[in-house]
Amino acid sequence: MTGSDATPSFRLAYVPGVMPDKWVRIWNERHPGVPLTLTQVPAGAAAGRLLGGDSDAGLVRTPVDRSAFSAIPLYTEQTVVVVPKDHLVTAVDEVTPEDLADDIVLHPLDDVLDWESLPGRPALERPATTADAVELVAAGIGVLVVPLSLARLHHRKDLTHRPLKDAPESSVALAWPEDAKTDQVEDFIGIVRGRTVNSTRGRQQPPARGGSADADRDGARRKPAAGKPAAGKSAGAKRTGKSGRGAPKNDRRGKPRRRS
């Protein structure tokens, strides 16, 4: 946004596998006059795009450099192994690293999992991208371990996946440069955190027309005036007998005597 008269906008970067559709839909409903521009970037390029000012915020994979960015963790993904449909591990519901001991486990250069020790046997070369690794799995060269969203993104009819136990997991966060938090970023934070349009947290929303005065009138109706009973209670409510119906009108029994 340049100049004081420029139309405000919000530029959001997101990494492959992340699906921001729901949040974008809510943004468009709440801010029809503020266009949101989406740009998909490789996971390794997201930080540079944000620091360079090309995007206002990003849906990125952790870890996030907290010396340069503020971030809000959103969710953690399940890790799966992608295999051909006729692979032996398709016979089980969940796979362990030991089950992959005899397999070549591909390790693409854009891998987003923080491995201490990759299971299985290493390939002679690392594929350049996850998409390239998926092609190699389809060719029967090896198997691939990725977050679930990337397995779905690169889905093929001849491949399937199974959850992998005891493997690193990938988390997704909303991040923005620490010194560049705009009003639009604050609004988007409210959306991803599930705040309603009338939430008092975050940016202050303008009150509804007459809302403040109506609230004052409602409060006045709920508070009884000093010395007067609350609504629904009669002034004689305290003078009740044991039955709770009030004191009898006449305690004298029988008929009065006539004077002679």
Side-chain angles (χ1 to χ4, degrees), residues 103-246:
D103 286 286
I104 293 176
V105 178
L106 301 166
H107 192 199
L109 294 174
D110 64 354
D111 183 25
V112 297
L113 298 173
D114 186 17
W115 290 100
E116 289 187 5
S117 178
L118 200 68
R121 298 184 292 135
L124 295 177
E125 294 183 4
R126 295 182 64 180
T129 67
T130 297
D132 292 337
V134 171
E135 294 293 330
L136 293 175
V137 174
I141 303 300
V143 300
L144 175 65
V145 179
V146 290
L148 177 58
S149 67
L150 290 180
R152 289 173 172 169
L153 178 66
H154 298 288
H155 171 73
R156 292 174 51 121
K157 291 183 178 179
D158 53 348
L159 301 180
T160 187
H161 59 265
R162 291 291 185 273
L164 180 63
K165 293 177 60 178
D166 303 323
E169 294 177 322
S170 176
S171 297
V172 173
L174 174 65
W176 63 93
E178 193 172 30
D179 57 353
K181 187 178 183 182
T182 65
D183 288 344
Q184 286 73 38
V185 171
E186 183 64 56
D187 287 338
F188 196 75
I189 291 171
I191 289 173
V192 299
R193 281 184 162 172
R195 298 176 192 160
T196 65
V197 68
N198 295 320
S199 172
T200 57
R201 298 182 64 186
R203 290 181 64 197
Q204 197 70 20
Q205 299 291 335
R209 193 171 186 180
S212 177
D214 291 342
D216 290 342
R217 286 196 294 269
D218 289 342
R221 283 197 294 267
R222 288 193 295 269
K223 295 179 181 179
K228 293 185 179 180
K233 295 183 180 181
S234 65
K238 293 183 180 179
R239 300 196 305 270
T240 57
K242 293 182 179 180
S243 64
R245 296 181 181 177

Side-chain angles (χ1 to χ4, degrees), residues 250 252-259:
N250 195 339
R252 296 172 62 187
R253 298 180 181 275
K255 298 181 180 181
R257 295 182 180 178
R258 288 186 180 179
R259 292 184 179 179

Side-chain angles (χ1 to χ4, degrees), residues 62-117:
T62 59
V64 175
D65 181 0
R66 290 306 185 105
S67 66
F69 298 100
S70 296
I72 298 173
L74 298 178
Y75 57 87
T76 298
E77 290 196 66
Q78 184 182 54
T79 300
V80 300
V81 55
V82 179
V83 297
K85 281 194 171 180
D86 59 355
H87 195 282
L88 289 175
V89 300
T90 59
V92 297
D93 294 329
E94 194 173 54
V95 181
T96 67
E98 291 74 21
D99 294 329
L100 305 178
D102 296 330
D103 286 286
I104 293 176
V105 178
L106 301 166
H107 192 199
L109 294 174
D110 64 354
D111 183 25
V112 297
L113 298 173
D114 186 17
W115 290 100
E116 289 187 5
S117 178

